[in-house]
Amino acid sequence: MNGKYDVIVIGGGHAGCEAATASANMGARTLLITMDMNKIAQMSCNPAVGGIAKGQIVREIDALGGQMAMVTDATAIQFRMLNRSKGPAVWSPRAQCDRGKFIWEWRRVLDETENLDIWQDQVEELLVEEQASTDNDGNEYHKKTVGVKTIWGAEFHAPCIVLTAGTFLNGLMHIGRKMVKGGRIAEPAAEQLTESITRHGIRSARMKTGTPVRIDKRSIHFEDMTRQDGESDYHQFSYLGEPRRLPQLPCWECYTNTAVHEVLCSGLADSPLYNGQIQSIGPRYCPSIETKLVTFPEREQHLLFLEPEGTDTNEMYLNGFSSSLPMNVQIEALKHIPALRNVRVYRPGYAIEYDFFDPTQLYHSLESKIIQGLFMAGQVNGTTGYEEAAGQGLVAGINAALKAGMEGAIGSNSTEAKKTFTLKRDEAYIGVLIDDLVTKGVDEPYRMFTSRAEYRILLRQDDADARLTEQAYKLGMAKRERYEWWLEKKNYIEEIESFCDSFAIKPKLINSWLEHFGSTPLQYGCKLTDLIGRPELSFGKLQEAIPELKNLLNQPNNRREEIIEAAEIRIKYKGYITRERLVAEKMHRLENIKIRGHFDYENLKAISIEARQKLSKIQPETLAQASRIPGVSPSDINAMLVLMGR
């Protein structure tokens, strides 16, 4: 078996699916190679998409023309907007999904994508040629990818390869002292692919993650748990998506107790995390239950969430009970929780170790600095989470298509040729994610949080389309339908803003309403914008007092509520948004100062030894990127600015 493609994607997880569809939708002939076509985009851990900062990433994927948001809306069985008690800068959508239907919805998307083939197999070798060359961005290479070889002897050739192998690279699963090779429970590991890459000088290391026990809902006493329902308003993930169509199901809350903790602690001697069996680092923000007990010995209980796996299954996911303890210890501990006293499980929790590659070896396009044409996305870059993987996959797929094809003319709606597609830190959480990876590297599985984004007022979940859809359309990723919807939304928002900026408010006509809403009466007239800026007031309240506003807000539009919310946020937080934009623009000046190739850092005595070491290793593209490297101080940056001036 032999075949020639423009782009080959290795791995059919969340990163791989986004990479493959992005590449194919841009016109590149694309091949997706996956071990099992029936487990496309498998939710290996919890059956949910989104969450704090992760939900913003999914909306950005959607605004860019990716698929995850629409697949999520089509398979959601519960939706919630998290952080509503805080400002809209950190509102984050999250949805429980039907695990099985999520897979088949993604499979349908892949099957209907033109220019995309799927091959079920396992890649064991990356084919590389020695060849000195310089790419369109001026980067020098001595090696380039030419294709892949599978365990069944099939060879496929392409100038660009996107590696999205997840946890499968030399994956090793742990339950107690028992170890089994695998990339996921009951699925084989990829045992030779890492070595075929590291032999070319790319550094790899090991990480660890884990997953909880799966429970039969027929054995659960729900009367001893607290029910947690979802929300049923207009919010959803995709800017184009249809209303949720599956039955909406509740989640449930319960707690561990001291009896549970005693049983779990009795098994610590056999825990792979504490008996020396696992040496690699696990995710800090999703610790195992045994890690919680060791880290917080004073805690008498820990919160657990029981989440449905789908509408047609009895399987439930126990969020918060990730573990690699012996299976008998896990099950015995669960039985001391009142709601789980008669528990029956489908499988215990387990830990998994796997290979990843130091992401500082990548450019912001996610192309390797060592092997031309090799792109990496997802957990192979040291991240954790479906959303982080999908965002990287989208960027890698776009850049692979650009590199393999016509330099931006592939399916593009713009005559301007593009060499690479990258996102800045003030443009998207995906930009923050990738910049953190390639600039700072990782020493533990990377998880996105709103606190990682210094411009989070600009990176809200409501305005991802405002930030990204226009450039996605010019790139050729966003289709005409999406672009026209964004223009319609943009025009409506601007109409509302213009009305509020110009509509005069007279105290005698509005003060009785203001008192009714607990707002300070006006002494003088003002514009409607000034009232909207008050925290206690909203369009919903003021439209009853201002008929002209009510008429404007009730124009026929199938996404009217979403548009009104976006307009109100822009008006309320205009001052903060403007201030943050000014800060971002100042940083852009440093982004425009290119330094790669200008300094011999090892002999640069004007900066600290640590800065020399870090800068030599990472070779940042710009002065702004250099400023974000841990160990590079402001004085180091100032010294480099002075030297650049000379």
Side-chain angles (χ1 to χ4, degrees), residues 430-486:
I430 298 173
V432 175
L433 164 66
I434 292 174
D435 186 66
D436 280 352
L437 292 176
V438 304
T439 302
K440 302 175 183 177
V442 291
D443 54 12
E444 61 184 43
Y446 181 100
R447 180 177 178 180
M448 179 53 71
F449 290 102
T450 54
S451 58
R452 295 190 188 272
E454 61 270 42
Y455 306 118
R456 54 186 172 272
I457 294 177
L458 304 179
L459 306 182
R460 307 181 309 277
Q461 61 83 30
D462 66 274
D463 75 337
D465 51 354
R467 292 181 270 122
L468 302 172
T469 293
E470 193 148 346
Q471 61 174 305
Y473 178 68
K474 292 178 180 178
L475 186 68
M477 270 295 294
K479 305 307 179 190
R480 185 72 195 180
E481 176 193 10
R482 181 178 294 279
Y483 183 61
E484 288 179 347
W485 160 242
W486 157 238

Side-chain angles (χ1 to χ4, degrees), residues 167-168 170-173 180-185 187-190 352-353:
T167 60
F168 282 78
N170 290 318
L172 182 63
M173 297 178 291
V180 176
K181 292 180 180 180
R184 207 158 40 205
I185 197 78
E187 296 181 59
I352 180 169
E353 289 184 286

Side-chain angles (χ1 to χ4, degrees), residues 38-52:
N38 296 321
K39 292 184 178 177
I40 292 286
Q42 168 77 294
M43 290 174 153
S44 307
C45 203
N46 65 322
V49 170
I52 306 301

Side-chain angles (χ1 to χ4, degrees), residues 139 358-367 369 420 422-426 431-441 454-455 584 586-597 599 601 611 614-634 636-638 640-641 644:
N139 302 313
D358 181 356
T360 62
Q361 301 169 107
L362 302 174
Y363 294 113
H364 280 74
S365 63
L366 296 180
E367 184 180 12
K369 294 178 178 178
T420 57
T422 58
L423 292 166
K424 299 183 181 68
R425 295 182 71 91
D426 63 323
V432 175
L433 164 66
I434 292 174
D435 186 66
D436 280 352
L437 292 176
V438 304
T439 302
K440 302 175 183 177
E454 61 270 42
Y455 306 118
K586 288 180 181 178
M587 183 55 70
H588 285 175
R589 298 171 195 170
L590 293 183
E591 296 285 4
N592 292 330
I593 301 177
K594 305 292 184 182
I595 61 171
R596 192 165 189 270
F599 291 108
Y601 296 114
K614 295 288 183 66
L615 291 166
S616 296
K617 176 184 176 182
I618 295 172
Q619 291 293 322
E621 296 289 325
T622 68
L623 204 59
Q625 186 184 347
S627 72
R628 294 190 290 271
I629 297 174
V632 178
S633 69
D636 295 324
I637 297 300
N638 287 334
M640 292 168 69
L641 272 171
M644 289 286 287

Side-chain angles (χ1 to χ4, degrees), residues 2 56 86 91 125 133 154 176 225 233 252 261 270 334 382 413 427 465 528 591 631 636-637 641:
N2 200 308
Q56 283 89 327
K86 301 179 181 179
W91 291 355
E125 184 178 358
S133 62
M225 307 185 85
D233 65 9
W252 303 84
H261 298 177
D270 294 316
L334 290 174
N413 296 296
E427 287 183 308
D465 51 354
L528 179 55
E591 296 285 4
D636 295 324
I637 297 300
L641 272 171

